[in-house]
Amino acid sequence: MDERVSKVLVVGAGPVGAVCALALQQQGIAARVLEAQPEDARADTRTLALSHGSRLILERLGVWAQLDDVTPITRIHISQRGALGVARLSADEVNVPALGYVLPYAALTVALKQTLADAHIAVDYGMAVERIESGTDAATLQVADGRSYAAPLVVVADGGRGKSDPVPKFERDYDQMAVVCEVQTELPHANQAYERFTPEGPAALLPKGDRYALVWTARREDAERIAKLADTEFLAALYRHFGGRQGLFLQAGPRKTFPLKLAYTGSEAADRVVRIGNAAQTLHPVAGQGFNIGLRDAWELASLSGDTAPEALGSAAMLAAYARGRRLDVLGGVGFTDFLVRVFSNDIVPLRHARGLGLLALEVFPPLKAFVARRMIFGARG
Ligand SMILES: Cc1cc2nc3c(=O)[nH]c(=O)nc-3n(C[C@H](O)[C@H](O)[C@H](O)COP(=O)(O)OP(=O)(O)OC[C@H]3O[C@@H](n4cnc5c(N)ncnc54)[C@H](O)[C@@H]3O)c2cc1C
């Protein structure tokens, strides 16, 4: 059998797997990455919202300097349709240059690919991992062409899309889908993002270049119909749904839909195997938490690996310490996101009033505002 042995194997060269490999190298630990897609595969068109904390991670890895398609969010406007209560957050109030950054997934993928190549990190493209066998001293990966790879630590960052993924410990189907596309509004965005809660689900407008990236959450049975509306009907429906804070919606790009759910699998998998990023937790995008938690997973795992004696890398004690260290941040993000979706996606009158009061409190009570903003930027330890 042709078996290659490495110190750390990373399954998946998505943003979380790539960041993990780069951060491990900064800790002096060589990683090998296996990616199912071919090297020249075109990344899809999704848009990502990065927190300021994620920017700091990408800066330390030399990735941020390579990104040129980034739009800062300096203000966020939060409201609910058909009820009182508005909250506004601004970067100045939290003393950060921006509350977040919007960029195409494809741009981040290209920058990460280049940084991995510059750092001479081995990435085997077109290698879909079929099976992971865990053992006492090492875990072994079987890939489709019959080759196998072994390492004392295997990091699964396959986005939760692997063939042998375990059943999540906790799942919630929100019966919602996201309709995403770019839209042009009558008024310039001036780097302001919007989060508007409606009984059918939240709608977000994220400044992207000279346009907005729209994430319109709808009930599953409505989403496909909305996505297929002709442009003029779509723009009119969006105006009715979102309101006129940005003037008219003038133009919309091609629409896509994606399912929204909560799936919490956790980092613990088997001996010598750890799960990070979307492979460990897939979140609703309402609070922009999922992707940023994934980057913190990668960063914290690499830091802990650097602090672990080489012979203990991937040991049960190390993986348990990692799970313990991540619990507060991950479960905090999962709970906060789930709370927002469930409390805001309905039209129950007492809840509507309570939400209005909550938004008012956020608006007028600066310490609460700073508390919420810092947790959204830096996670539970913010
Ligand atoms: C359709 C879709 C749309 C989304 N849109 C948004 C959005 O608009 N805004 C937002 O903030 N977030 C969005 N998200 C979430 C965001 O994309 C994720 O949080 C983020 O990509 C997670 O990064 P990751 O590296 O963990 O996983 P991924 O980005 O999914 O990367 C996983 C990588 O692993 C590879 N892989 C999978 N299986 C294997 C295998 N068996 N062997 C080897 N490699 C494998 C994949 O090819 C991929 O490169 C979206 C997610 C999806 C699925």
Coordinates of all heavy atoms in Angstrom, one line a residue, residues 11-17 34-37 46-49 105 127-129 157-159 161-163 180 215 258 276-279 285 290-291, ligand 1:
V11 N -8.3 17.8 6.0 CA -9.2 17.4 5.0 C -10.0 18.6 4.6 O -10.8 19.1 5.3 CB -10.2 16.3 5.5 CG1 -11.1 15.8 4.3 CG2 -9.4 15.1 6.0
G12 N -9.8 19.1 3.3 CA -10.5 20.3 2.9 C -9.7 21.5 2.8 O -9.1 21.9 3.9
A13 N -9.6 22.2 1.6 CA -8.8 23.4 1.5 C -9.8 24.6 1.4 O -9.5 25.6 0.7 CB -7.8 23.3 0.3
G14 N -10.9 24.5 2.0 CA -11.8 25.7 2.1 C -11.1 26.7 3.0 O -10.0 26.5 3.5
P15 N -11.8 27.8 3.3 CA -11.1 28.8 4.1 C -10.7 28.3 5.5 O -9.6 28.7 5.9 CB -12.2 29.9 4.3 CG -13.3 29.6 3.4 CD -13.1 28.2 2.8
V16 N -11.5 27.5 6.1 CA -11.1 27.0 7.5 C -9.9 26.1 7.4 O -8.9 26.2 8.2 CB -12.3 26.4 8.2 CG1 -11.9 25.8 9.5 CG2 -13.4 27.5 8.4
G17 N -9.9 25.1 6.5 CA -8.8 24.2 6.4 C -7.5 24.9 6.0 O -6.4 24.6 6.5
L34 N -5.6 17.9 1.9 CA -6.2 17.1 0.8 C -7.5 17.8 0.4 O -8.4 18.0 1.3 CB -6.5 15.7 1.2 CG -5.3 14.8 1.8 CD1 -5.8 13.4 2.1 CD2 -4.2 14.8 0.7
E35 N -7.7 18.1 -0.8 CA -8.9 18.9 -1.3 C -9.5 18.1 -2.4 O -8.9 17.7 -3.4 CB -8.4 20.3 -1.7 CG -9.5 21.0 -2.5 CD -10.8 21.2 -1.8 OE1 -10.8 21.6 -0.6 OE2 -11.9 20.9 -2.4
A36 N -10.9 17.9 -2.3 CA -11.6 17.1 -3.2 C -11.7 17.8 -4.6 O -11.6 17.1 -5.6 CB -13.0 16.8 -2.7
Q37 N -11.7 19.1 -4.6 CA -11.9 19.8 -5.9 C -10.6 19.8 -6.7 O -9.5 19.9 -6.0 CB -12.3 21.3 -5.7 CG -13.6 21.5 -4.9 CD -14.8 21.2 -5.8 OE1 -14.7 21.4 -7.0 NE2 -15.9 20.7 -5.2
R46 N -20.7 32.7 -3.6 CA -21.3 33.1 -2.3 C -20.5 34.3 -1.8 O -19.3 34.5 -2.1 CB -21.4 32.0 -1.3 CG -20.1 31.4 -0.8 CD -20.3 30.3 0.1 NE -20.3 29.0 -0.5 CZ -19.9 27.8 0.0 NH1 -19.6 27.8 1.3 NH2 -19.9 26.7 -0.6
T47 N -21.1 35.1 -0.9 CA -20.5 36.3 -0.3 C -20.2 36.0 1.1 O -21.1 35.4 1.8 CB -21.4 37.5 -0.5 OG1 -21.6 37.7 -1.8 CG2 -20.8 38.7 0.2
L48 N -19.1 36.4 1.7 CA -18.8 36.1 3.1 C -18.8 37.5 3.8 O -18.3 38.5 3.3 CB -17.5 35.4 3.2 CG -17.4 34.0 2.7 CD1 -16.0 33.5 2.8 CD2 -18.3 33.1 3.4
A49 N -19.2 37.4 5.1 CA -19.1 38.6 6.0 C -18.1 38.2 7.1 O -18.3 37.3 7.8 CB -20.4 39.0 6.6
Y105 N -16.4 34.9 -1.6 CA -15.7 33.6 -1.2 C -14.6 33.3 -2.2 O -13.5 32.8 -1.8 CB -16.8 32.5 -1.2 CG -16.4 31.1 -0.8 CD1 -16.4 30.7 0.5 CD2 -16.0 30.1 -1.8 CE1 -16.1 29.4 0.9 CE2 -15.7 28.8 -1.4 CZ -15.7 28.5 -0.1 OH -15.4 27.2 0.3
M127 N -8.3 15.2 -4.5 CA -8.2 14.1 -3.6 C -9.4 14.0 -2.7 O -9.3 14.7 -1.6 CB -6.9 14.1 -2.8 CG -5.7 13.9 -3.6 SD -5.5 12.2 -4.0 CE -4.0 12.2 -5.0
A128 N -10.4 13.3 -3.0 CA -11.6 13.3 -2.1 C -11.4 12.2 -1.1 O -11.1 11.0 -1.5 CB -12.8 13.0 -2.9
V129 N -11.4 12.5 0.2 CA -11.2 11.5 1.2 C -12.5 10.7 1.3 O -13.6 11.3 1.5 CB -10.9 12.2 2.6 CG1 -10.9 11.3 3.7 CG2 -9.6 13.0 2.5
A157 N -11.9 19.5 7.9 CA -12.5 20.8 7.6 C -13.2 20.7 6.3 O -12.9 21.5 5.4 CB -11.4 21.9 7.6
D158 N -14.0 19.7 6.1 CA -14.7 19.5 4.8 C -16.0 20.2 4.7 O -16.8 19.9 3.8 CB -14.9 18.0 4.6 CG -15.8 17.3 5.6 OD1 -16.4 18.0 6.4 OD2 -15.9 16.1 5.6
G159 N -16.3 21.1 5.6 CA -17.6 21.9 5.5 C -18.8 21.1 5.9 O -19.9 21.5 5.6
R161 N -19.5 18.3 4.5 CA -20.0 17.7 3.3 C -19.4 16.4 2.9 O -19.5 15.9 1.8 CB -19.9 18.7 2.2 CG -20.8 19.9 2.4 CD -20.7 20.9 1.2 NE -19.7 21.9 1.3 CZ -19.2 22.6 0.4 NH1 -19.7 22.5 -0.8 NH2 -18.3 23.5 0.6
G162 N -18.6 15.8 3.9 CA -17.9 14.6 3.6 C -18.8 13.4 3.6 O -19.9 13.4 4.2
K163 N -18.4 12.3 2.9 CA -19.2 11.1 2.8 C -19.4 10.4 4.1 O -20.4 9.8 4.4 CB -18.6 10.2 1.8 CG -18.7 10.7 0.4 CD -18.2 9.7 -0.6 CE -18.3 10.3 -2.0 NZ -17.3 9.6 -3.0
V180 N -30.0 34.6 -2.3 CA -28.9 35.5 -2.3 C -28.6 36.1 -3.8 O -28.8 35.4 -4.7 CB -27.6 34.9 -1.8 CG1 -27.7 34.5 -0.3 CG2 -27.2 33.7 -2.6
V215 N -29.1 39.0 1.4 CA -29.4 37.6 1.9 C -30.8 37.7 2.4 O -31.1 38.2 3.5 CB -28.4 37.2 3.0 CG1 -28.7 35.7 3.4 CG2 -26.9 37.3 2.6
F258 N -29.9 28.8 -0.9 CA -29.3 27.8 -0.2 C -30.0 27.5 1.1 O -30.6 28.4 1.7 CB -27.8 28.0 0.0 CG -27.3 29.0 0.9 CD1 -27.0 28.7 2.3 CD2 -27.2 30.3 0.5 CE1 -26.6 29.7 3.1 CE2 -26.7 31.3 1.4 CZ -26.5 31.0 2.7
I276 N -13.4 20.8 12.6 CA -13.4 22.3 12.8 C -14.3 23.0 11.7 O -14.5 22.4 10.6 CB -12.0 22.9 12.8 CG1 -11.3 22.7 11.5 CG2 -11.2 22.3 14.0 CD1 -9.9 23.5 11.4
G277 N -14.6 24.2 11.9 CA -15.4 25.0 10.9 C -16.7 24.4 10.7 O -17.3 23.9 11.6
N278 N -17.3 24.5 9.5 CA -18.6 24.0 9.2 C -18.7 22.5 9.4 O -19.8 22.1 9.6 CB -19.0 24.4 7.8 CG -19.8 25.7 7.7 OD1 -19.5 26.6 8.5 ND2 -20.7 25.8 6.8
A279 N -17.6 21.8 9.4 CA -17.7 20.4 9.7 C -18.1 20.1 11.1 O -18.7 19.1 11.5 CB -16.3 19.7 9.4
P285 N -27.1 32.1 8.8 CA -26.2 33.3 8.6 C -26.6 34.6 9.3 O -25.9 35.6 9.2 CB -26.1 33.5 7.1 CG -27.4 32.9 6.6 CD -27.8 31.8 7.5
G290 N -21.1 31.9 11.9 CA -20.6 30.6 11.5 C -19.2 30.6 11.0 O -18.3 29.9 11.5
F291 N -19.0 31.4 10.0 CA -17.7 31.5 9.3 C -16.6 32.0 10.2 O -15.5 31.4 10.2 CB -17.9 32.3 8.0 CG -16.6 32.5 7.3 CD1 -16.0 31.4 6.7 CD2 -15.9 33.7 7.2 CE1 -14.8 31.5 6.1 CE2 -14.7 33.8 6.6 CZ -14.2 32.7 6.0
Ligands
LIG1 C1 -24.3 27.1 -0.6 C2 -23.7 27.9 0.6 C3 -23.8 29.3 0.6 C4 -23.3 30.0 1.6 N1 -23.5 31.4 1.6 C5 -23.0 32.1 2.6 C6 -23.1 33.6 2.6 O1 -23.8 34.1 1.7 N2 -22.5 34.3 3.6 C7 -21.8 33.6 4.6 O2 -21.2 34.3 5.5 N3 -21.7 32.3 4.7 C8 -22.2 31.5 3.7 N4 -22.1 30.2 3.7 C9 -21.4 29.6 4.8 C10 -19.9 29.7 4.6 O3 -19.7 29.4 3.2 C11 -19.2 28.7 5.5 O4 -19.3 29.2 6.8 C12 -17.7 28.6 5.2 O5 -17.5 28.4 3.8 C13 -17.1 27.5 6.0 O6 -15.8 27.2 5.7 P1 -15.3 25.7 5.7 O7 -13.8 25.9 5.2 O8 -15.5 25.1 7.1 O9 -16.1 24.9 4.7 P2 -16.2 25.0 3.1 O10 -16.1 26.4 2.7 O11 -17.5 24.3 2.8 O12 -15.0 24.2 2.6 C14 -14.9 22.8 2.7 C15 -13.8 22.3 1.7 O13 -13.7 20.9 1.9 C16 -13.7 20.2 0.6 N5 -14.1 18.9 0.8 C17 -15.4 18.5 1.1 N6 -15.4 17.1 1.2 C18 -14.2 16.7 1.0 C19 -13.6 15.4 1.0 N7 -14.3 14.3 1.3 N8 -12.2 15.3 0.8 C20 -11.5 16.4 0.6 N9 -12.0 17.6 0.6 C21 -13.3 17.8 0.8 C22 -14.6 21.1 -0.2 O14 -14.3 20.9 -1.6 C23 -14.3 22.5 0.2 O15 -13.2 23.1 -0.5 C24 -22.7 29.4 2.7 C25 -22.5 28.0 2.7 C26 -23.1 27.3 1.7 C27 -22.9 25.7 1.7

